[in-house]
Amino acid sequence: MKPVSETNAMIAGMRPELQPGVFAFVIWPTQKEWPENTRASCVEAEGLSLIVPIEVAPSDAVSMRCITLQVHSSLEGVGLTAAVSAALAKYNIPTNMVAGYHHDHVYVPFDMADEALAILINLQKGAEE
């Protein structure tokens, strides 16, 4: 299937889906083996950042849920993450976007996940009209 690149088509086709599990963003020692089920990594000047299951995160880590935007958005597409971030910001929901090759993933605080999902479903439905 060809990736979608037109902004409205990406939003209309995104079918947001709450993923099972609870996660945390953490700094991980480079010499330490990564936890099983690590979701993503990013090498930053300050160290290695990982998204890991909450069970292996420090006790003070923020519990996050992941909403996957089920549209194969083009790596050259413009506007999907901006629209998602803006929609959630309007309701004061912190958003951490992670782009994969096939999909974009939205990490939100655990206790705001259901509200965030409803907002993104409404955004998607509004783009279909």
Side-chain angles (χ1 to χ4, degrees):
M1 184 164 99
K2 185 176 178 187
V4 180
S5 60
E6 193 277 318
T7 304
N8 197 60
M10 287 188 293
I11 297 167
M14 69 181 182
R15 298 180 341 272
E17 183 178 288
L18 188 61
Q19 299 300 307
V22 181
F23 306 95
F25 286 70
V26 299
I27 298 297
W28 202 259
T30 53
Q31 69 281 7
K32 188 174 177 182
E33 188 174 322
W34 291 13
E36 188 174 324
N37 298 322
T38 295
R39 300 288 291 218
S41 66
C42 181
V43 177
E44 301 178 285
E46 298 83 359
L48 175 64
S49 293
L50 298 181
I51 303 173
V52 299
I54 194 70
E55 297 82 19
V56 298
S59 60
D60 62 346
V62 176
S63 296
M64 308 289 282
R65 295 291 310 271
C66 177
I67 301 170
T68 297
L69 306 179
Q70 296 289 346
V71 61
H72 185 178
S73 53
S74 170
L75 296 174
E76 296 175 334
V78 175
L80 176 62
T81 58
V84 167
S85 294
L88 295 174
K90 183 177 175 182
Y91 293 92
N92 208 31
I93 298 176
T95 305
N96 292 280
M97 301 294 299
V98 176
Y101 183 83
H102 289 101
H103 305 290
D104 292 297
H105 309 274
V106 185
Y107 287 84
V108 298
F110 178 84
D111 60 346
M112 298 178 158
D114 291 332
E115 181 183 4
L117 181 63
I119 291 164
L120 295 181
I121 290 170
N122 284 335
L123 177 65
Q124 183 263 331
K125 287 180 180 177
E128 288 180 334
E129 298 171 356

